[in-house]
Amino acid sequence: SMEINPKIKIVITCRYLEWKAYFEEKLKLIDNNLKIYEILPLDQEDINKILEEYSIDTTEFWKYIEDNYLESLLKNIMIIFHIIESFEQYRDQSVGYIDIYADVINKYITRKGSNREDTITDKPLGDMILIASSLATYMLLNREHEVSTNDLPTLANELYKVNAKSIIVNDLNIILNTALFEQNKGKFSFFHKS
């Protein structure tokens, strides 16, 4: 039998699309009185308030979103802010999902993690993106949320080659120390799941 202790509170968070329904079903089997909450995406009114803060014309912004079929990207608050902050740059051109995500990656991969104002200039951007992509593929295939710096030579050896060359430890270390990654006790994870 299971005893309920009202003094103990447990909070479980998850990404809505991946786990909410599964966790809700399983948790309700344990205790049907458990509270299940979900954070809703920002609605148009919320986004309009942000647009006003940035002095961006709401009608022009929403027409741009519609014309470029970007509505589904507005479920991700990081992407919302990126589009708003880059709106002056984007407004006169047609952009798609790939363009926006590439801009986000370029923004974070060219900045040092500890000081996001310092830029990294000694590595070609294309090579840095390919190394980060190899690492992302490795993490996805191995279901790893983070990687450790304990054995970087082994990790570098296990990654897919870039331009038919193995990734060297120094280059991997440069990537891990960009703003694209967060560091916690010698372990690195991408700063944002998207």
Side-chain angles (χ1 to χ4, degrees), residues 27 53 73 80 129:
L27 291 170
E53 291 284 323
L73 287 182
I80 291 171
I129 291 171

Side-chain angles (χ1 to χ4, degrees), residues 50-78:
I50 299 169
L51 291 169
E52 289 170 17
E53 291 284 323
Y54 281 81
S55 302
I56 294 174
D57 180 84
T58 56
T59 304
E60 185 180 352
F61 178 82
W62 289 107
K63 180 171 179 359
Y64 181 81
I65 294 297
E66 183 179 331
D67 289 348
N68 288 282
Y69 307 101
L70 300 175
E71 293 88 353
S72 65
L73 287 182
L74 300 182
K75 294 178 182 169
N76 182 321
I77 194 161
M78 178 192 73

Side-chain angles (χ1 to χ4, degrees), residues 32-97:
N32 201 37
N33 295 319
L34 286 173
K35 304 267 190 265
I36 310 290
Y37 300 97
E38 77 182 84
I39 298 173
L40 298 174
L42 296 179
D43 61 22
Q44 187 167 345
E45 185 179 322
D46 297 325
I47 295 171
N48 283 345
K49 289 176 186 173
I50 299 169
L51 291 169
E52 289 170 17
E53 291 284 323
Y54 281 81
S55 302
I56 294 174
D57 180 84
T58 56
T59 304
E60 185 180 352
F61 178 82
W62 289 107
K63 180 171 179 359
Y64 181 81
I65 294 297
E66 183 179 331
D67 289 348
N68 288 282
Y69 307 101
L70 300 175
E71 293 88 353
S72 65
L73 287 182
L74 300 182
K75 294 178 182 169
N76 182 321
I77 194 161
M78 178 192 73
I79 298 299
I80 291 171
F81 274 101
H82 175 77
I83 293 171
I84 289 172
E85 290 169 353
S86 304
F87 190 64
E88 291 299 320
Q89 167 193 337
Y90 288 154
R91 72 176 354 140
D92 295 327
Q93 58 182 312
S94 178
V95 296
Y97 294 33

Side-chain angles (χ1 to χ4, degrees), residues 105-117:
I105 290 167
N106 291 348
K107 175 182 176 181
Y108 287 93
I109 204 167
T110 57
R111 304 213 182 284
K112 291 182 183 176
S114 60
N115 182 351
R116 297 180 192 272
E117 300 305 316

